[in-house]
Amino acid sequence: MLLELPAWNVRFRFYTLVNVHVLCPLLKAAHWTDWGSFISTNTKTNHDEIEKVAKQFGAKVHRRSPEVSQDSSTSLEAITEFLNHHREVDIVGNIQATSPCLHPSDLIKVADLIQKEGFDSVFSVVRRHQFRWSEVKKGDNKMTEPQNLNPAKRYRRQDWPGELYENGSFYFAKRHLIEKGYLQGGKMAYYEMRAEHSVDIDIDIDWPIAEQRVLSFGYFGKEPLKEVKLLVCSIDGCLTNGRIYVTEDHKEMVSYDYRDIVGIDLLKKRGIQVRLISDRDCSKTLSAMQLRCVAKVNVTNKLQVLKDWQEDMGLSWKEVAYLGNEESDVECLKQAGMSAVPADACAAAQKAAAYICKSRGGCGAVREFAEHIFLLLEKVNSARKQLEEISSAGKEMGRNENSRKGNKELMEKE
């Protein structure tokens, strides 16, 4: 991201260097190119697939050399290499893709900090409320000691202001510091991020936590989110567990989870239509379940049915959710604005879906996806607020720049 900001009669170039070492879905979730105050975005990587996705989102790509692509390579080494190829860059912001909940409003405020206050480096921190104790090595005849509390006057952690810790989300620094081997130095400032936006992926067990944080608090782009108006659910393997029991008199029986029925009722109460779809003729089963949902059975082209429903209801794809589990659901999962599969869905469906339920088909997957949709509705309201903050920050920066231009013109006239 290249941003020219005039300050102290000097034009600084801000280059935001996106450090991508994680899987492509998190790059997609971040929507780097939506940070309107930055003119261009570059991704540094040595991975072909990451380069492909980055370019799809409008980013330029700086290919890391083998020398700075080792397991032991540091971010500073990669940044230094980049600066050697871009002499025009005066200030570099290193954004870690391992922090996928970073929002544009954070970076706009950091740019404003550097512009107005003249800091040489700014880095991100988060406030934590954790009591620390000294470490005692095994075999040492010592007692542990409190580091940041008095046990005799112990207070509740929620009544304690806490401490600031680096969270590794981003580091901004001027060229001269980086050339000296520093990412932090000179006149320094920290930027405190909201706890819910502070996610750092270091080891495997961090992934499920990051996934849920992105779903709850991640940035979904400049385009306003749409409330889901329609959920289409595949019957066999989603609403049911996919098993069909046949009696001696050739009657079919299936099982379903009452939690899923409650989930459908909750969706309806929120104004979301629920429609069902199946490859086979299961009309008798649906009649027995008494779901009172529009259903289409014996379907040979699920995507066409989905498109017909979407057009008849006058919905955008962002307003359509789809829950499927088989290869026949793949194209629908790709097209829908929200998509999910049960935990036991086939590999092709899992790859196409944005969300994989923890519940198996017929065992609460519909209810789980319903709760996921409700979470999105909360996200819609939160996103609107974030967009207002971003718009307000951008307008303020514009007013400041216009004011400086006016002052400069006045001085030139005098």
Side-chain angles (χ1 to χ4, degrees), residues 304-323:
Q304 186 58 56
V305 173
L306 185 64
K307 287 181 177 179
D308 291 342
W309 283 344
Q310 176 243 344
E311 292 174 359
D312 289 344
M313 295 178 64
L315 302 178
S316 69
W317 283 112
K318 282 184 172 291
E319 296 172 302
V320 177
Y322 192 92
L323 179 65

Side-chain angles (χ1 to χ4, degrees), residues 213-253:
R213 287 288 187 90
V214 168
L215 292 172
S216 299
F217 307 109
Y219 180 64
F220 281 73
K222 288 193 300 183
E223 183 180 347
L225 290 173
K226 300 285 188 180
E227 294 187 8
V228 172
K229 300 292 181 61
L230 171 66
L231 166 63
V232 177
C233 175
S234 183
I235 298 171
D236 299 307
C238 290
L239 184 58
T240 73
N241 61 10
R243 295 179 180 177
I244 301 174
Y245 304 90
V246 183
T247 65
E248 290 182 354
D249 55 354
H250 304 290
K251 292 183 179 180
E252 292 184 357
M253 293 190 301

Side-chain angles (χ1 to χ4, degrees), residues 189-373:
Y190 62 79
Y191 178 82
E192 184 176 348
M193 292 179 59
R194 292 162 59 179
E196 59 266 31
H197 291 168
S198 182
V199 181
D200 191 19
I201 303 174
D202 281 329
I203 55 179
D204 290 348
I205 61 174
D206 293 332
W207 276 99
I209 297 174
E211 178 188 28
Q212 293 305 314
R213 287 288 187 90
V214 168
L215 292 172
S216 299
F217 307 109
Y219 180 64
F220 281 73
K222 288 193 300 183
E223 183 180 347
L225 290 173
K226 300 285 188 180
E227 294 187 8
V228 172
K229 300 292 181 61
L230 171 66
L231 166 63
V232 177
C233 175
S234 183
I235 298 171
D236 299 307
C238 290
L239 184 58
T240 73
N241 61 10
R243 295 179 180 177
I244 301 174
Y245 304 90
V246 183
T247 65
E248 290 182 354
D249 55 354
H250 304 290
K251 292 183 179 180
E252 292 184 357
M253 293 190 301
V254 298
S255 64
Y256 62 90
D257 195 314
Y258 182 69
R259 291 174 296 177
D260 290 333
I261 307 305
V262 173
I264 290 175
D265 288 339
L266 291 173
L267 287 163
K268 291 180 178 180
K269 290 178 181 178
R270 295 289 290 268
I272 300 172
Q273 285 200 37
V274 179
R275 298 190 177 186
L276 307 174
I277 195 168
S278 176
D279 299 295
R280 68 185 190 91
D281 186 359
C282 52
S283 52
K284 291 183 179 179
T285 299
L286 291 175
S287 177
M289 295 174 73
Q290 297 182 343
L291 295 175
R292 297 184 299 278
C293 294
V294 174
K296 189 84 171 178
V297 299
N298 266 341
V299 174
T300 56
N301 188 337
K302 289 183 177 179
L303 181 59
Q304 186 58 56
V305 173
L306 185 64
K307 287 181 177 179
D308 291 342
W309 283 344
Q310 176 243 344
E311 292 174 359
D312 289 344
M313 295 178 64
L315 302 178
S316 69
W317 283 112
K318 282 184 172 291
E319 296 172 302
V320 177
Y322 192 92
L323 179 65
N325 71 305
E326 280 296 341
E327 291 188 6
S328 60
D329 297 306
V330 168
E331 294 305 317
C332 296
L333 291 167
K334 291 179 179 179
Q335 188 69 59
M338 288 190 70
S339 59
V341 294
D344 54 347
C346 74
Q350 289 193 19
K351 185 177 180 181
Y355 181 77
I356 300 176
C357 298
K358 295 179 176 62
S359 304
R360 298 167 66 88
C363 299
V366 177
R367 174 63 183 271
E368 182 180 340
F369 190 36
E371 293 177 350
H372 179 63
I373 291 173

Side-chain angles (χ1 to χ4, degrees), residues 379-390:
K379 178 67 186 175
V380 169
N381 295 327
S382 175
R384 287 171 180 162
K385 183 178 179 181
Q386 291 163 8
L387 287 171
E388 290 174 358
E389 291 178 355
I390 294 171

